[in-house]
């Protein structure tokens, strides 16, 4: 059975969020599609709405992991500390650890995130850190031994 669990985020303005994730996180493989006129009619949008500024579906990759997103068409999304996304790498895979550390460093140096836990070696021997982005999403960086 081929299954995946893919994060799906909702933003007030996904078009802006995509730019943020490209700039701050180095998001790649960015795809965005606006609602069609037919979809807008089905969703009872006002005739004067700018469809190009709206996002029906989008996705991007960070650290090689796919994330999907769209605009919140049911009102303003609520920021919640309940949403966390974790990157987990094998501590013995030096290339993966370096790539994760570089991503963490990039986000922190952008000054567009809040550092919750500095990425460093912990007493367990693991490397761990946390940041929160401007949308309230917590990103966890975790390098552990896969025993």
């Amino acid at each position: 059975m081929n299954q995946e669990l893919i994060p799906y985020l909702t933003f007030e303005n996904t078009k802006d969020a995509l730019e943020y994730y490209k700039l701050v996180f180095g998001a790649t493989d960015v795809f965005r599609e606006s609602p069609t006129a037919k979809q807008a009619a089905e969703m009872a949008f006002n005739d004067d709405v700018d469809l190009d500024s709206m996002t029906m579906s989008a996705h991007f990759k960070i650290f090689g992991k796919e994330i999907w997103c769209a605009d919140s068409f049911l009102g303003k999304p609520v920021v919640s500390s309940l949403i966390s996304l974790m990157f987990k790498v094998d501590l013995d895979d030096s290339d993966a650890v370096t790539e994760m550390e570089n991503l963490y460093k990039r986000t922190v140096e952008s000054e567009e995130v809040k550092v919750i836990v500095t990425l460093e070696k912990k007493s367990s021997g693991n490397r761990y850190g946390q940041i929160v982005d401007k949308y309230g999403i917590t990103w966890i960086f975790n390098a552990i031994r896969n025993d």
Side-chain angles (χ1 to χ4, degrees):
M1 187 181 314
N2 187 11
Q3 296 180 343
E4 291 182 75
L5 178 64
I6 298 173
Y8 196 104
L9 307 174
T10 304
F11 301 101
E12 188 171 358
N13 184 328
T14 301
K15 194 172 184 179
D16 287 349
L18 292 171
E19 291 304 314
Y20 171 81
Y21 288 114
K22 284 194 301 190
L23 175 71
V24 176
F25 286 76
T28 61
D29 301 329
V30 177
F31 171 82
R32 186 183 82 81
E33 98 185 316
S34 297
T36 64
K38 181 181 178 186
Q39 289 169 323
E42 290 169 353
M43 294 169 62
F45 292 161
N46 292 336
D47 291 336
D48 63 346
V49 71
D50 177 14
L51 294 180
D52 185 54
S53 68
M54 303 175 84
T55 304
M56 191 72 177
S57 177
H59 52 86
F60 57 95
K61 287 185 179 179
I62 295 176
F63 199 52
K65 300 301 177 192
E66 190 173 37
I67 299 169
W68 283 67
C69 55
D71 284 348
S72 172
F73 294 110
L74 301 176
K76 188 172 182 169
V78 177
V79 174
S80 169
S81 63
L82 299 175
I83 305 297
S84 298
L85 302 176
M86 181 171 68
F87 297 115
K88 182 185 91 164
V89 300
D90 184 342
L91 193 57
D92 294 324
D93 183 341
S94 61
D95 290 341
V97 172
T98 298
E99 189 176 348
M100 184 187 76
E101 289 172 339
N102 289 342
L103 175 59
Y104 174 86
K105 183 178 177 184
R106 175 192 181 118
T107 61
V108 171
E109 288 177 352
S110 75
E111 299 183 359
E112 295 284 335
V113 300
K114 179 180 178 184
V115 176
I116 303 301
V117 178
T118 303
L119 178 64
E120 59 189 14
K121 186 176 181 180
K122 304 301 179 192
S123 60
S124 64
N126 297 341
R127 297 188 55 73
Y128 182 88
Q130 282 187 17
I131 60 170
V132 175
D133 71 22
K134 81 176 202 174
Y135 296 100
I137 299 167
T138 300
W139 296 81
I140 300 169
F141 299 81
N142 198 8
I144 63 172
R145 284 218 158 63
N146 291 327
D147 296 329

